[in-house]
Structure formats: structure tokens, C-alpha cells
Amino acid sequence: MNKIELPASFKKKIATELNTTVQTVHTSLCYFNNSDLAVLIRKRAKELLVEEASKIKIES
């Protein structure tokens, strides 16, 4: 089953940005629905995760 793991702080941020509830964000990230809003939530989640990952500095 597909599921996007996201910290609670990111879920709250997405809910606030998109004027929806954290529950809606959660169900969208678990692929329980596929509405336009759910697709937008998953897109924003990916953007936040990529942004967070870019902060990682690998020393060689």
C-alpha cells in the first residue's frame, strides 16, 4: 500500500497552507482518496520532503 510518511509539523503546515484539516492531509497521504485536493496535498508533501532532503550535507 502506498503511503507518504511525513512529520506532524509538515502535516499541520500543509493543512494551514491549503485551508483544510490535518485529517484530510493524513487521508490524502495514505491514498484513501484521489481528489484534486489530495493530489495537491501529495505534491506539496513531496516539495517539503525534497526541500528537507536538500539540507543534508554529506562530507566525504
Side-chain angles (χ1 to χ4, degrees):
M1 176 181 211
N2 292 331
K3 182 177 181 182
I4 299 172
E5 297 288 338
L6 205 61
S9 60
F10 284 3
K11 290 178 185 176
K12 289 178 187 175
K13 183 175 183 170
I14 292 171
T16 302
E17 288 177 1
L18 300 179
N19 196 29
T20 191
T21 64
V22 175
Q23 181 63 36
T24 299
V25 174
H26 173 76
T27 58
S28 298
L29 296 176
C30 291
Y31 288 83
F32 286 129
N33 55 35
N34 201 31
S35 65
D36 290 342
L37 179 59
V39 171
L40 186 59
I41 288 168
R42 290 191 290 270
K43 179 181 177 190
R44 184 64 180 129
K46 181 178 179 180
E47 291 169 355
L48 289 172
L49 288 170
V50 168
E51 185 179 303
E52 191 68 18
S54 70
K55 295 177 185 177
I56 299 170
K57 302 295 181 206
I58 300 175
E59 303 285 330
S60 47

